[in-house]
Amino acid sequence: MTANNTTTAPSTSPAPIQIDLSLLTLVEAAVIIFGMIVLGRIVRKIIIRKSKETSLTWIINEDTADIVFRMFVLGGIIWALYLLGIMSYGLGPTTVGNIAFAMGFFYFSYLIAKKSKDYMIMSSGKKARPETIVKAKVFYYLFITIAFFMALSFAGVSTELSALLAAAGITGIVLGFSAQTVVSNFISGVFMYFDKPLLIGDQVKIGELEGVVEDIRILSTRIRAWDGTLIRIPNEKLFNSNIVNFMRYPVRRVDVNIGIAYAADAERAVEVIKRVLDEIPLVLVEPEPLVYVDRLDDSSVVVAIRAWAPSEKWFEVRTRIIHNVKRALDEAGIEIPFPQRVNWFANELKIRIEEPPNKSGENGEGA
């Protein structure tokens, strides 16, 4: 008989987790949590007191103090659970402790990112500029994305997710080809952010569309037209259009043309118009307004008015100039003529005039 020599393979199953729930360990865990809470409150009070003495309020403030206090409390709880042995419990390729630490890290990263974004927006004033809002959002999402991948690494599951991320990348490429318009609008929105051709509240003309910029988003821009309707313009189309911004510079020129009769005194009309401009407070002295005879039209002598006004008051100044100039010319007896036309005929016209019949009788005889 041949001896049957068999060897037993070593067991690969993880060793059982030893959870220590003795009275001494429980007391130690409670002391750790209590001590971290007390220490967190002390640090919180120190930060709040320092926030009243420093100019770096965007870092040292009450919100930061609350976040630090929560970190101490959570840290104490995790420490106590490690002491009890609960955090060493295995979950697949990782442990409860790694997952808890990763979740805590991501949670506090989210709080820091959110508070930083809110502060960046609030520090720019009551009406935040669009570029400030975009910067704050970019910082927020970038911070959250980095914190997310770091949390995966801390949790010990980043290797297992690599295949899933690769599949997601391939899916993203396929979706990118099928959503070229969305991607194009997004890229155009990024270029618009750096180019800054318009801001919220600007009065603009884009192609044949005119209105006030209501909102600038990643994929589109919204314009409120003069008649109160909403116009949504994709950023790709906006980026490739001619944009006229009426509010980019602090002053804007008012152009008005007035026609006077050929029989009127043009020099006197210019003097009357200049006097009218001097009486309008919103017409700027520098640059100096210009009034001059511009051209000779078919029915009138055209006098050009070129006056500068604050951009936000342009429409008000223009309507006031037209109204006051019309009234001043009327008072000065300077005619603003209707269109007239003189017709010349190559041959002499023969006109037959028929006299109306006599009322007294059909044949012109009395009754």
Side-chain angles (χ1 to χ4, degrees), residues 309-329:
S311 296
E312 65 273 10
K313 299 293 184 180
W314 179 87
F315 183 77
E316 178 183 344
V317 173
R318 186 178 186 276
T319 54
R320 189 168 180 180
I321 287 176
I322 295 175
H323 178 271
N324 291 5
V325 167
K326 170 64 169 62
R327 184 177 59 185
L329 292 179

Side-chain angles (χ1 to χ4, degrees), residues 104-132:
F105 174 81
F106 182 76
Y107 171 69
F108 287 110
S109 299
Y110 160 75
L111 292 179
I112 294 173
K114 185 176 183 300
K115 296 298 181 183
S116 301
K117 181 194 70 172
D118 295 341
Y119 177 82
M120 291 175 65
I121 296 175
M122 290 187 299
S123 61
S124 62
K126 294 182 179 180
K127 187 177 180 181
R129 298 172 65 87
E131 57 267 25
T132 303

Side-chain angles (χ1 to χ4, degrees), residues 126-196:
K126 294 182 179 180
K127 187 177 180 181
R129 298 172 65 87
E131 57 267 25
T132 303
I133 298 176
V134 173
K135 287 180 181 178
K137 290 182 178 180
V138 169
F139 169 80
Y140 172 77
Y141 289 115
L142 182 62
F143 196 98
I144 288 296
T145 302
I146 295 176
F148 174 74
F149 285 105
M150 291 182 65
L152 290 180
S153 178
F154 294 150
V157 296
S158 57
T159 304
E160 284 70 17
L161 291 178
S162 59
L164 180 61
L165 293 176
I170 297 175
T171 304
I173 294 175
V174 174
L175 293 177
F177 281 108
S178 62
Q180 294 182 7
T181 302
V182 176
V183 175
S184 179
N185 287 329
F186 174 78
I187 296 176
S188 299
V190 173
F191 288 156
M192 291 280 292
Y193 161 71
F194 289 105
D195 192 31
K196 296 182 178 65

